[in-house]
Amino acid sequence: MMSATAESITPRELLDVRRLVKHFPVDNSDDLVQAVDGVSFSVRAGETLGLVGESGCGKSTVGRCLLRLQEPTAGEVYFEGKNILELPAGEMRDLRREMQIIFQDPYASLNPRLSILATVSEPLKIHGVSSRSERRARVADLLTKVGLDADYMNRYPHEFSGGQRQRIGIARALALNPKLIVCDEPVSALDVSVQAQVVNLLQDLQSQLGLTYLFISHGLAVVEHISNRVAVMYLGKIVEIADAGELYKNPLHPYTKALLSAIPVPDPRHKRQRIVLHGDVPTPINPPSGCRFRTRCPIAIPECAGRVPERREIVPGHTAACIRIEGYDTAPIADFETSDSQTA
């Protein structure tokens, strides 16, 4: 396979992911868990792309593969036009200054034996900020940025609430002034009131620092609030991408429609018509042939079993992978998929 040239990537795209694959071997078996299977999307500089789907669909694996915390099985990941999957260890370490992650569990991601000063300053120490006074001043500034008192740096994780711990995790992610932050379900372990505070903090920091987010979550209401665009993932594949307003107003894929129908409505007088999906999510070891959603899809037809739907642009900026969508067969293939096919 020929690699796509950097020139073929739109300059405004900070991150461009092409045919990303991550398969995990099964112990004592030749089977593979197809956690991520041919995922393509881009993230523009300064935007938030929400990545949503049921638990186990592979969205967190995508985030970890982008940072090479897990090595992808195949595919290409371009950051500022450079394929990071081809970088040697030394260059990848330098690039980690530009790409950071906020983890889901704010307690498990903090070392209970390290003070907050040691935790937040560790990236600075690793990447060459050797002066202790400089590190201390930087940590004080970061804690203030995330809404904590600078004096908290001498405390330990068990002395903080869940929301405060997540703010510490955010401070650590900001330590090296990154351009891209992968937010791996950063509010799912928090109380609802605290979720809103952390989401607002992330938005404020994005505005102040020009950050770009990949926001991974199964909380559709939160994703709608924070995202510019939303990608919907099912069983290792992205089935729909659109601007947030467009996707929530006009979902095209039947899986997206089912997800949105499950969002609670904060008005007892208004009842949403719920689309109930029957059956369990199939195993990623042996996913269904053709469309992976067909075994639970309310509009599936026999042709769905023999045809793998490629994601195509149905209306400008709105792509979906379903042969039952009106205009699917006549719609032009999205630009990123055209460029992918040209690299094969």
Side-chain angles (χ1 to χ4, degrees):
M1 175 181 288
M2 295 175 58
S3 296
T5 62
E7 290 75 11
S8 68
I9 298 172
T10 307
R12 67 175 181 169
E13 292 174 353
L14 182 70
L15 181 73
D16 191 82
V17 181
R18 301 184 174 188
R19 304 293 186 187
L20 184 68
V21 175
K22 179 59 180 178
H23 293 171
F24 294 95
V26 179
D27 291 341
N28 302 318
S29 171
D30 293 331
D31 292 331
L32 294 172
V33 176
Q34 301 175 35
V36 179
D37 200 29
V39 164
S40 298
F41 64 89
S42 63
V43 186
R44 302 163 188 156
E47 81 163 345
T48 298
L49 176 69
L51 182 60
V52 302
E54 293 170 287
S55 296
C57 71
K59 55 188 185 295
S60 290
T61 302
V62 168
R64 291 171 179 269
C65 286
L66 300 185
L67 304 178
R68 289 181 64 180
L69 298 179
Q70 293 174 331
E71 290 293 333
T73 304
E76 298 168 312
V77 177
Y78 290 90
F79 182 80
E80 295 188 318
K82 181 182 295 185
N83 187 0
I84 67 173
L85 302 187
E86 297 178 346
L87 297 181
E91 290 186 42
M92 189 62 212
R93 174 173 169 169
D94 292 339
L95 187 63
R96 292 194 191 282
R97 298 176 66 100
E98 310 287 345
M99 309 168 70
Q100 292 292 312
I101 186 170
I102 300 169
F103 294 99
Q104 176 179 357
D105 189 334
Y107 189 71
S109 63
L110 301 176
N111 189 331
R113 297 177 180 271
L114 295 182
S115 68
I116 303 310
L117 172 61
T119 295
V120 179
S121 66
E122 189 172 21
L124 300 170
K125 191 173 183 180
I126 291 173
H127 287 273
V129 180
S130 56
S131 168
R132 182 175 297 179
S133 61
E134 288 180 13
R135 294 199 300 268
R136 190 177 185 88
R138 176 63 174 158
V139 171
D141 179 60
L142 288 167
L143 291 179
T144 301
K145 271 188 170 65
V146 299
L148 297 176
D149 195 308
D151 292 338
Y152 289 175
M153 69 174 71
N154 296 315
R155 299 185 184 181
Y156 288 81
H158 71 272
E159 300 180 70
F160 296 93
S161 67
Q164 288 174 321
R165 291 181 196 132
Q166 195 60 291
R167 288 173 185 265
I168 294 166
I170 294 170
R172 179 176 57 186
L174 294 174
L176 296 170
N177 295 315
K179 295 178 181 177
L180 172 70
I181 297 182
V182 174
C183 305
D184 187 10
E185 305 207 33
V187 298
S188 63
L190 307 177
D191 293 339
V192 174
S193 60
V194 179
Q195 286 183 12
Q197 295 172 16
V198 173
V199 168
N200 289 336
L201 172 63
L202 290 171
Q203 289 181 309
D204 291 341
L205 291 170
Q206 183 177 43
S207 178
Q208 295 169 19
L209 305 175
L211 299 171
T212 302
Y213 294 142
L214 175 64
F215 193 90
I216 300 169
S217 178
H218 58 259
L220 293 168
V222 174
V223 169
E224 181 182 18
H225 179 70
I226 196 173
S227 301
N228 302 105
R229 292 186 301 135
V230 178
V232 181
M233 194 167 179
Y234 181 81
L235 202 62
K237 290 184 176 291
I238 291 180
V239 298
E240 187 166 3
I241 294 182
D243 289 342
E246 164 69 12
L247 184 128
Y248 280 78
K249 181 181 178 181
N250 182 36
L252 297 177
H253 197 281
Y255 176 63
T256 307
K257 292 179 180 181
L259 286 181
L260 296 184
S261 76
I263 300 177
V265 179
D267 184 350
R269 296 169 298 180
H270 178 74
K271 293 185 178 180
R272 191 191 300 272
Q273 185 175 358
R274 179 74 188 275
I275 300 174
V276 179
L277 298 178
H278 299 285
D280 296 325
V281 179
T283 172
I285 296 177
N286 185 26
S289 63
C291 174
R292 294 189 174 188
F293 183 58
R294 66 177 177 80
T295 58
R296 304 173 70 200
C297 181
I299 62 171
I301 58 177
E303 187 181 354
C304 296
R307 180 176 174 186
V308 178
E310 292 292 331
R311 189 155 47 87
R312 307 189 71 179
E313 190 171 60
I314 310 303
V315 296
H318 194 158
T319 63
C322 175
I323 65 173
R324 297 298 313 278
I325 297 173
E326 184 178 354
Y328 176 83
D329 286 321
T330 59
I333 296 176
D335 290 342
F336 67 88
E337 292 186 333
T338 302
S339 59
D340 281 343
S341 65
Q342 290 173 346
T343 66

